[in-house]
Each structure stands twice: as C-alpha cells, then as structure tokens.
Amino acid sequence: LKAQPNFVGSNPPNRINPIAMNSHTIFLVFIFLVKQAWGDSSALIASLLQTSATSKSGVSMALERRTASSSSRALSTGTSKAVSKHASSHPKMAYFGTITVGNPPQDFVVVFDTGSGNLIIPGSKCQSEACQTHKRFEMLESQQGTRVNCDGTESRDGEADEITITFGTGKVTGECIQDMICIGGACSMGHFISSLDESSNPFDSFSFDGVLGLARPQMAQGELFSAMGRLERDNLLKQPIFSVFLSDSDEEKSEVTFGATKPEHMASDLFWVNVSGTSGYWEVRIDDITIDGKRQSICQDCRVAVDTGTSQLAGPSHVINKLSDALNVDPGCSNYNSLPELGFVVAGKVMTLERNHYVDKEDSRCSLALMSLDIPPPTGPIFIFGIPFLQRYYSVYDPVNSRVGFAVAKHRGNVAPTVLLSASEYTNRYEKKDSFLSPHRK
C-alpha cells in the first residue's frame, strides 16, 4: 500500500488527514484490519510485519566460517573439472548462513553462492544418505507450499515435472516448489528446488544443508528462482545490489549484505568492473597476470568468475602449470618467506595476492592453492576467484547494471587506508620496491 500525495494547504487542528498519512501508518491500519479478520496469531501478519520492517533497507546476515569437505566444488552446473597435482587436498574453509523457507518458517544452513543460480535444499521425500544427514524441507508442514513446473509455470492437476542438476562431482534430482523464502528479514514468495535424490559425492560430506544461488538472473531456472530478482521485484531493498565480506580469521565476523555496501569493510575506494559474457556468472576479464610486478603474458584477455562457493583459486591447467613453475613453491616451505606477490590486472587495476592467499601452509608443509579447472567452451576456459581472493577483496554485485565492485577488504589490524594502483603505477612502484597498497594521499 502506498500513501497518496499530500494536498496543498493546512489541516484543521487536532485532526488527522488520512490522505497525508505515510505508507507505514497506512500499513499498520491494514494490519489492524487483518487482525480483526484473521486473529493476532496469524502467520500472515508476521510475514507482513516482517516485510514492512525490511522494505527499502539493507539486510545484513552473519556468515559462519566452517571447514568444508576436502575438495573444492566445481564451478556450478554442467561443467567438468580436472584437479592438477598442484591442488591442495587438506580441508578448506567455507562460509554459511541461515535462511528460512515455508510458513511457518523452517531453518536451513546454506552457502551464499555467486557461482550458481537457484536455491537447492534437501526435501522430505529424499531418502539418500546425503539428505538424511541434513535438514529436509517438509512441504506438508507449510501453509503456502505448492509444486510448480521447473520452468516456473503452474502445475496442472497437482502434477509437475522434475529437474536434474549436474555438478562437477555429483548431481541432484529434485522437484520445484513455490513458498515463502526469507533472507534475513526480507521475505518473498519464490521458487526453489527441493531435492529428491543427492549423490553421496560430494553432498553427504558437506556441513551445510543447501545452496542459495546468487549468480546473475539468467543462470536461474526462472525469474522467481532468482533471489535477487525476487527482492528487486518486491522492492524490498534500498539498492538492488548485494555485497560480501569474508573474514580471514575467527576474530571478526563475515557477512553478506543485501541492498547496501558497508564502508567499514573497505580499506580502499570501490571500483567497478563491467561483467562480460552471457553465461550468468559474475564474470570479468583479466588483462594479464603479474609476479613481483612483472607482466607474465600468460593470460591475456582471460575471463574470471567471482565465486563465493569455491574454496580455492582455479584456472585453465595450461595457465596454472605455468604459474606453478614460476612461483616455485617448495613443499617443505623453505622458500615461503621469499615467495613473490601474485597480481591480476583487471580493468586497468592490479589486484594482488600475498603468499598467504595463494599458498596453503600447514606446519612445515606448503602447497599451491591454485586448482586446475578445464571447462570446455562456450562457458570456458575460465578462471575462478574463490575464497582466498574474496578474503583479500570486498566484493559488490550489481545485477541491474551488470557489474562487480571491488575494494581492498578491511580486516582487523589493517588500519591505514589504501588505494588500488593502476597497472603502470603498480609497475613503477614495484620497481622502487614499494607495495601497490600504498598510503592514501590526499
């Protein structure tokens, strides 16, 4: 409900002009009328009040750091991956948060995944081991849950189709359901996939229930499957964007924010990069790769997907092999302290990674945290900026303008403001043995 425009002129004293009431007041009057008809305990009232409270605002959700399975997942659906001898095998970090589905709400722990497009959670009909070890959605316990076809159309006579989604190391078969989906306080009716069967590898080893896809809308099964599409459609956010801050220790909290950016998480200005391609990934172009400030000319005009659901950095095997040889990480960590700075030239800026971002170090064992991932055309070949990159850089996703924003992440102990240097500035500074993360000059 929206307030009508105010009329010009003054109102009589001690009287309320109903036309001049703001939209929130009108909404509360509406809730009062609903209470008279439905009763104070109606779940509908709770949903309406929650939507009112979050309308046109930013919704922040804390993310928990947990150890994921021993292998990184492949890039979304329908792809294949080959893990090279350089890939690390010890447990990886992942970030999860809780959403609710259904009315009354059922809690699910999910990965907020910019590399896939749909919400997928285990369903009560799923009897596979991977489902049995996780929370399952009970559609019969929800007042509003109904089956729909997986192209988003309504089912006929209660009959609806099913869908099978193939990942790099497994697959999920599920039915599609329409119900209330709440991300923090932002609630909307939407579609999701309730699994009927999940392969043991890799899903039974996951410490989360499902995946909330946050890729660009074209990767979703349909408009109502896209989380950001629904939030934008229902006008729930101040801005149609979301941002991600991933902590690099247990001493600070990670969070995803819908509808706003968080300046307190940025140690540099935000710069925007246009998304390229039509695959649905948050995909940008890499102009080149640098090692200690020197261009390598091994990845000119490469593409990279920014992916919060992948625990490592990844790329085409021929590029990863060349990087492995150039970086020359000793398995016994003898050269760890002298390893070079790795840089990616994106939109004229150099985004660098220190050794702790691209090397997995455990006691006296070191391994390169770069995974070979060969994806065939037209989706590939492609690089993946996974969690190590996203711990280093705060990221913002703008589906309306098809762009991704980056800023140096501000972690505890990182006090001095910094700037991202251009490729030429970075090269000049490095030749003078200065870091690209230079003090901000006014």
Side-chain angles (χ1 to χ4, degrees), residues 171-192:
K171 65 179 182 179
V172 171
T173 297
E175 59 185 5
C176 297
I177 296 174
Q178 174 177 284
D179 211 331
M180 184 66 69
I181 302 171
C182 294
I183 303 173
C187 298
S188 61
M189 289 295 293
H191 295 171
F192 64 94

Side-chain angles (χ1 to χ4, degrees), residues 151-200:
D151 63 358
T153 59
E154 294 183 5
S155 62
R156 295 183 178 180
D157 302 323
E159 296 294 328
D161 59 7
E162 298 176 358
I163 188 172
T164 296
I165 297 180
T166 302
F167 292 82
T169 55
K171 65 179 182 179
V172 171
T173 297
E175 59 185 5
C176 297
I177 296 174
Q178 174 177 284
D179 211 331
M180 184 66 69
I181 302 171
C182 294
I183 303 173
C187 298
S188 61
M189 289 295 293
H191 295 171
F192 64 94
I193 298 170
S194 176
S195 61
L196 299 169
D197 181 72
E198 295 183 0
S199 59
S200 295

Side-chain angles (χ1 to χ4, degrees), residues 5 57 109 116 119 148 198 206 213 230 233 276 371 386 419 428:
S57 65
V109 177
S116 62
L119 170 60
V148 295
E198 295 183 0
F206 286 164
R230 293 192 307 271
R233 175 203 65 188
S276 61
M371 181 175 66
V419 294
N428 292 336

